[in-house]
Amino acid sequence: MTSGVGAPNRASISARTLRTDRWWLPPLMTNLGLLTFVVYATVRSFMGKWYWVADYGYLTPFYSPCLSESCLPGSSHFGTPLPELPGWIPLGFVALPFLLGFRLTCYYYRKAYYRSVWQSPPACAVAEPHGSYSGETRLPLIVQNAHRYFFYVALLVSVINTYDAVAALTHGLGLGNLVLFTNVVLLWAYTLSCHSCRHIAGGRLKHFSRHPVRYRAWTLISKLNVRHMQLAWTTLGTLVLTDLYVMLVASEAIPDLRFF
Ligand code: FES
């Protein structure tokens, strides 16, 4: 190993780390959390059923927007410009790759999976297993620089999810509506707390005083931005819970609690 802790100008210590605390716990928890979400989202995206509750207008975010003729009647809020799809293509395939790209290139998730999945490094003062480091300057990690473009698509998907939640109100009000709206509000909070969003609002300005509106937006986004990690995890949870609720109601495993 010629770089990192194995570089010739570093102290020669054979142990991987001298730490005696449970440094391995945070990366383990991160791996378990990410794995749980990936497995759940993959299974649900390919399931192809229980994504739409016609009586109450509930559409799970994993299938939104539903744009093909394979979609259940009423679930396509933006029409069906696409033909019937074979069963192995998820009905939400239009948005899913961009949402995946948005999360994968997110500054917080990068930190999380670089440390936990790639162990690079797994914790402070714990040697990483890799012998060299080329950063994000060449393939494949140079793709991380596309994050700002995924952000624009994620904004559009947040608008679509908001439309879905508002459209469901035309069927009355039930617990599912509150679930959909909670998810949408948190998705907006996560999306707007993005580092790229903060830079778009207030970056490259030499004088905040000459741009009061952008300064105000940057100030508000900065307040959200300090919670970006919490919002990243919270929205993974609300996405799963929202989809789970829609699935349970759609499959008639539970009734929706109706208020009026
Ligand atoms: S930095 Fe996390 S979504 Fe942009």
Side-chain angles (χ1 to χ4, degrees):
M1 196 183 278
T2 56
S3 64
V5 294
N9 57 350
R10 300 286 292 271
S12 176
I13 300 173
S14 57
R16 187 183 183 195
T17 181
L18 300 179
R19 286 180 64 167
T20 55
D21 62 335
R22 293 190 295 173
W23 58 265
W24 43 266
L25 191 56
L28 176 65
M29 299 300 288
T30 303
N31 275 332
L32 287 176
L34 294 177
L35 185 65
T36 303
F37 180 80
V38 167
V39 170
Y40 180 89
T42 304
V43 169
R44 277 295 288 148
S45 297
F46 284 92
M47 194 177 271
K49 60 181 178 181
W50 300 330
Y51 57 87
W52 167 246
V53 182
D55 287 349
Y56 309 132
Y58 299 157
L59 178 64
T60 171
F62 287 154
Y63 285 70
S64 178
C66 210
L67 297 175
S68 85
E69 288 174 3
S70 303
C71 300
L72 289 171
S75 64
S76 303
H77 293 147
F78 303 94
T80 55
L82 303 174
E84 291 236 351
L85 298 174
W88 51 270
I89 297 183
L91 293 178
F93 84 100
V94 174
L96 287 177
F98 294 102
L99 293 179
L100 183 66
F102 184 52
R103 298 255 173 182
L104 274 179
T105 59
C106 162
Y107 287 48
Y108 166 67
Y109 285 115
R110 271 143 81 170
K111 171 193 152 188
Y113 68 75
Y114 285 179
R115 290 187 181 183
S116 58
V117 179
W118 287 355
Q119 307 264 298
S120 183
C124 291
V126 179
E128 61 177 301
H130 311 289
S132 63
Y133 173 72
S134 62
E136 297 174 342
T137 56
R138 63 178 77 156
L139 280 171
L141 293 185
I142 197 170
V143 175
Q144 306 283 29
N145 292 296
H147 182 64
R148 76 199 76 167
Y149 304 111
F150 286 118
F151 164 74
Y152 291 122
V153 182
L155 266 187
L156 181 61
V157 175
S158 293
V159 171
I160 291 170
N161 289 158
T162 306
Y163 182 91
D164 294 339
V166 172
L169 287 175
T170 58
H171 299 258
L173 184 67
L175 181 58
N177 296 93
L178 301 184
V179 171
L180 290 179
F181 267 104
T182 303
N183 180 54
V184 157
V185 167
L186 287 165
L187 281 181
W188 272 111
Y190 169 68
T191 307
L192 294 178
S193 70
C194 167
H195 293 63
S196 291
C197 178
R198 183 169 176 265
H199 182 72
I200 290 164
R204 304 174 73 90
L205 291 181
K206 288 196 170 62
H207 306 284
F208 273 140
S209 57
R210 290 186 197 159
H211 304 272
V213 174
R214 288 185 65 184
Y215 175 61
R216 180 80 183 132
W218 179 84
T219 306
L220 292 172
I221 291 167
S222 296
K223 287 181 182 161
L224 274 179
N225 181 256
V226 296
R227 301 264 177 268
H228 194 58
M229 178 184 79
Q230 291 89 336
L231 289 165
W233 282 107
T234 305
T235 48
L236 285 191
T238 55
L239 278 167
V240 168
L241 290 176
T242 303
D243 176 78
L244 189 61
Y245 188 84
V246 171
M247 179 173 72
L248 292 174
V249 174
S251 63
E252 299 182 355
I254 61 169
D256 184 38
L257 179 62
R258 303 303 293 171
F259 304 126
F260 57 84

